[in-house]
Amino acid sequence: MVVRWLVTGAGGLLGWELCARLARLDGAEVTGLPRRELDITQARAVRTAVRAHRPDIVVNCAAWTATDDAETHEDAAARVNGDGPRHLAAACAESGARLLHISTNYVFSGDLEGPRAEDDHPGPRNTYGRTKLAGEQAVLAGLPHTGYVVRTAWLYGAGGPNFVSTMIRLERERDLVQVVDDQRGQPTWTSDLADLLVRLGLGALRGTAPAGVYHGTSRGATTWHGLAQETFRLLGADPGRVVSTTSRALGRPASRPAHGVLSHAAWRAAGIEPIRHWRGALAEAFPDLLAVERQRPPGTVPPAHCRSDRASD
């Protein structure tokens, strides 16, 4: 049986990984559309693409992910994160395709300790989270029986810039790196999430995976500071060169959840094993991340969770 997949946002970190995973899957026909080929904010373009490619499964990896920029560009972020999923849901309702929509742990405020369940009440604390929540609601309302929301967090992988790759680079370029230690979450390898999405999509077609909300993050949890230290350890570098700081000290425009850990109970109902522990995944991913990062030219912009400093400054 041939299963046709359509991946939007195929040029991004997760979209690139998912297309690569599907290309190796027997019986899969994959069409990956980066933003230059499909702008999901355009309803007519979305409808045309879905009609042309006739997918069985659409995976929406397209998103506005610049959290700080969303604070001053809310309309633009809302068009991508809210209107785009609504257009996709309408096109999938018309064609009969299943829709897997990627969302974020930022739909929760992060004020409460402990993992957030799939059916916990959301309460985003920044513009990015509000626009992503709007996208979730559009998918679930438009496709009550064939819409799937997969919340993820702290993604890293070989398909594009990410926190782990930046830490690899900064270890080489800086004596000290300051990283926030007051945000807790689940580092998630795009390869693991791509595999999970494939299994969810096939379960959706078989009717064994109920529609609704799932949490696609690794098991275990750490802080950005802990993740940076583990990256230094894997490099054989001194983790003490990673210095803890606070979110307030960095002064970013958008407030981040302090507690961003998600639970994984919904996977049991679908008969799907959740993603493994983040440490084991990072260790396996590391050789590829290191190889890709060392091919890039020097110089980088630190991510929103760190500040790099030379010891002599």
Side-chain angles (χ1 to χ4, degrees), residues 226-245:
L227 177 56
Q229 286 196 314
E230 185 64 16
T231 302
F232 272 48
R233 288 190 189 98
L234 290 170
L235 286 167
D238 178 10
R241 291 167 53 198
V242 182
V243 181
S244 64
T245 188

Side-chain angles (χ1 to χ4, degrees), residues 6 66 169 199:
L6 175 63
R169 179 175 296 187
R199 287 183 283 150

Side-chain angles (χ1 to χ4, degrees), residues 45-274:
V46 169
R47 188 181 304 112
T48 298
V50 172
R51 286 177 176 173
H53 296 290
R54 298 180 297 111
D56 300 297
I57 303 169
V58 176
V59 186
N60 180 34
C61 297
W64 178 294
T65 57
T67 303
D68 288 327
D69 288 346
E71 295 298 313
T72 52
H73 298 84
E74 183 167 358
D75 288 347
R79 285 194 294 273
V80 179
N81 293 341
D83 295 343
R86 183 176 298 106
H87 300 330
L88 285 165
C92 288
E94 180 182 280
S95 71
R98 276 68 171 175
L99 174 60
L100 277 58
H101 171 64
I102 309 304
S103 191
T104 174
N105 64 335
Y106 278 27
V107 300
F108 296 112
S109 68
D111 294 335
L112 301 177
E113 295 186 24
R116 297 295 88 204
E118 292 85 350
D119 59 354
D120 279 354
H121 185 70
R125 65 185 307 135
N126 58 38
T127 299
Y128 169 66
R130 289 193 296 273
T131 61
K132 290 297 288 183
L133 179 59
E136 289 189 7
Q137 293 168 339
V139 169
L140 296 174
L143 297 169
H145 305 296
T146 55
Y148 297 75
V149 169
V150 181
R151 295 174 181 145
T152 192
W154 294 27
L155 289 179
Y156 66 88
N162 62 88
F163 180 86
V164 175
S165 294
T166 300
M167 291 302 105
I168 292 173
R169 179 175 296 187
L170 291 183
E171 187 280 326
R172 185 177 60 201
E173 297 179 353
R174 300 289 189 264
D175 296 318
L176 298 177
V177 181
Q178 291 185 346
V179 182
V180 298
D181 202 17
D182 56 3
Q183 297 173 34
R184 192 164 182 82
Q186 297 153 302
T188 303
W189 186 18
T190 52
S191 180
D192 281 346
L193 181 55
D195 181 68
L196 196 70
L197 291 171
V198 169
R199 287 183 283 150
L200 179 61
L202 295 178
L205 286 182
R206 291 192 299 263
T208 58
V213 178
Y214 294 79
H215 287 165
T217 52
S218 295
R219 298 176 190 173
T222 187
T223 63
W224 290 111
H225 179 263
L227 177 56
Q229 286 196 314
E230 185 64 16
T231 302
F232 272 48
R233 288 190 189 98
L234 290 170
L235 286 167
D238 178 10
R241 291 167 53 198
V242 182
V243 181
S244 64
T245 188
T246 65
S247 301
R248 177 173 293 185
L250 290 188
R252 302 299 180 186
S255 176
R256 266 75 170 175
H259 306 284
V261 179
L262 304 177
S263 66
H264 307 116
W267 297 107
R268 284 195 289 271
I272 298 174
E273 183 71 14

Side-chain angles (χ1 to χ4, degrees), residues 292-312:
V292 169
E293 190 56 36
R294 285 182 171 170
Q295 292 173 2
R296 290 181 178 145
T300 186
V301 176
H305 320 290
C306 81
R307 176 186 292 125
S308 60
D309 297 297
R310 298 188 186 277
S312 58

